[in-house]
Amino acid sequence: MKWNLKEIQQMNNRMQDFQNNMLPKFEQNTAAFLNNLSAEKTLKDAMAYSVEIGGKRIRPLIIMAICSFYNRPIDNDVLAVAGSLELLHTYSLIHDDLPEMDNDDLRRGKATNHKVFGQAEAVLAGDGLLTLAFDWITRTGLNSKSKIDLIAALAEAAGPEGMVSGQVADIEGERKTLNLEQLKKVHERKTGALLKYACQAGGILSEAKDNELDLLVNFGASFGLAFQIYDDILDVVSTTKEMGKAVHKDEIENKNTYPGILGLDGAYQSLEQSIEEANKILVKLNADESILADFLEYFKGKDSK
């Protein structure tokens, strides 16, 4: 996939405009939802802390971008579904950072949840966000079928057939060497599952046709793989200041990564292949010149680093 400099600049400007328009609504709606909960103050504070310290918001932005592509209004129901995914994603980060898992002190440039609130409170904040994600979907004004479809898809993506299995495989992989196909399977679940769901949710909210929904899910799979490969690369080439979290941990902890298996050049080649595949799917959707194509600009090529 080759873009000239003018095209890249136009896409960057379009994405920036989209973020500037959508994210304030998203942040305000999510903060209000958490603030209005009838819950223990410490729990609310711990949940809000990790949600509100920022992040790329790629998953909710994908949902909103797909709705925008289909001319589906970004109303409170869309914001709720997008917010519910961010709550669930944040739960996974809180638990990932715990000493029993990745044992990280930094997340998004700030102290991790358990460093601020303690381990017990961090576990419970994660539990609260996980269950609240499904609750929020039920509170929307969507029809019953859409609610059921969204809840079922999110449960599959986040649960033992999706993200949680990927996390277990990632942990167990530290004690053995995986081949490329095995590593891809880990990434498909650990990182790709929620990104696939974001695309699926956008399609459900937009009432996309079945064949289009399949293409959206496939786009999410390719984007998700590229996202994890890029994350593996950044752990090698970036700094803690740039990432907002500790870097070079993958090698220290003997994690299986694309640069570890393929070398840095090979990882960049795999990244490019995943981006190309994602773009081919957008062509089939007649979306290769839409806001969805701009998400592929998230990944910097080797020569731009």
Side-chain angles (χ1 to χ4, degrees):
M1 177 178 53
K2 301 295 182 183
W3 288 309
N4 62 43
L5 187 59
K6 183 177 180 181
E7 288 174 327
I8 290 174
Q9 186 62 50
Q10 287 173 339
M11 287 189 289
N12 287 339
N13 290 342
R14 181 170 58 183
M15 176 57 77
Q16 191 62 58
D17 289 345
F18 184 75
Q19 290 175 309
N20 290 342
N21 186 33
M22 295 298 168
L23 285 182
K25 302 174 188 176
F26 171 82
E27 301 294 352
Q28 182 179 13
N29 197 63
T30 302
F33 179 69
L34 291 173
N35 187 56
N36 289 331
L37 293 174
S38 176
E40 291 294 324
K41 184 179 184 303
T42 303
L43 178 61
K44 288 175 64 174
D45 289 346
M47 290 192 299
Y49 172 80
S50 288
V51 172
E52 294 175 2
I53 60 174
K56 296 177 285 292
R57 307 300 199 211
I58 283 179
R59 293 158 190 82
L61 279 169
I62 287 174
I63 291 175
M64 292 185 283
I66 290 172
C67 289
S68 179
F69 172 68
Y70 282 102
N71 295 315
R72 202 274 193 215
I74 310 299
D75 56 17
N76 285 338
D77 288 339
V78 172
L79 292 172
V81 173
S84 71
L85 177 53
E86 191 66 15
L87 297 189
L88 193 145
H89 172 57
T90 303
Y91 123 76
S92 75
L93 300 181
I94 293 174
H95 283 192
D96 271 352
D97 291 336
L98 289 167
E100 293 79 4
M101 301 256 309
D102 287 347
N103 192 26
D104 276 317
D105 296 340
L106 281 178
R107 171 68 65 178
R108 296 167 176 168
K110 301 289 183 69
T112 47
N113 196 288
H114 67 276
K115 287 294 181 181
V116 177
F117 296 94
Q119 285 183 232
E121 286 80 0
V123 169
L124 293 170
D127 292 345
L129 291 170
L130 168 61
T131 50
L132 192 59
F134 298 98
D135 180 19
W136 201 356
I137 295 173
T138 70
R139 300 189 194 199
T140 66
L142 298 168
N143 62 60
S144 296
K145 184 181 184 307
S146 293
K147 289 180 182 180
I148 291 170
D149 288 347
L150 288 164
I151 289 170
L154 183 56
E156 182 178 350
E161 293 184 298
M163 182 184 69
V164 174
S165 273
Q167 290 170 317
V168 170
D170 186 49
I171 292 170
E172 293 180 346
E174 294 174 16
R175 300 189 291 270
K176 57 187 177 183
T177 300
L178 303 180
N179 61 38
L180 192 58
E181 197 57 38
Q182 290 170 325
L183 179 60
K184 183 178 178 182
K185 186 67 175 178
V186 172
H187 286 347
E188 283 176 351
R189 290 179 168 179
K190 179 187 174 187
T191 303
L194 290 190
L195 287 163
K196 281 174 62 177
Y197 167 77
C199 294
Q200 187 174 7
I204 291 170
L205 287 165
S206 302
E207 299 182 351
K209 297 176 182 177
D210 288 346
N211 66 311
E212 293 175 339
L213 193 57
D214 289 341
L215 288 171
L216 287 169
V217 170
N218 290 338
F219 170 77
S222 294
F223 182 86
L225 181 58
F227 191 91
Q228 184 59 58
I229 295 171
Y230 190 53
D231 193 62
D232 285 354
I233 290 171
L234 290 180
D235 187 73
V236 176
V237 303
S238 290
T239 65
T240 297
K241 183 178 180 180
E242 288 173 326
M243 293 287 282
K245 62 180 181 179
V247 295
H248 312 314
K249 288 190 66 180
D250 290 343
E251 184 177 2
I252 294 169
E253 296 176 358
N254 197 36
K255 284 184 176 288
N256 290 276
T257 66
Y258 271 75
I261 292 176
L262 299 174
L264 195 55
D265 286 342
Y268 275 115
Q269 289 173 8
S270 288
L271 172 62
E272 186 64 25
Q273 289 169 3
S274 296
I275 295 170
E276 290 279 4
E277 183 59 36
N279 193 58
K280 288 177 182 177
I281 295 168
L282 291 182
V283 170
K284 293 178 182 178
L285 278 165
N286 293 318
D288 53 311
E289 295 184 3
S290 75
I291 187 68
L292 293 175
D294 298 4
F295 283 90
L296 300 180
E297 266 302 293
Y298 167 75
F299 310 108
K300 294 188 177 85
K302 179 181 176 183
D303 294 334
S304 64
K305 183 62 191 172

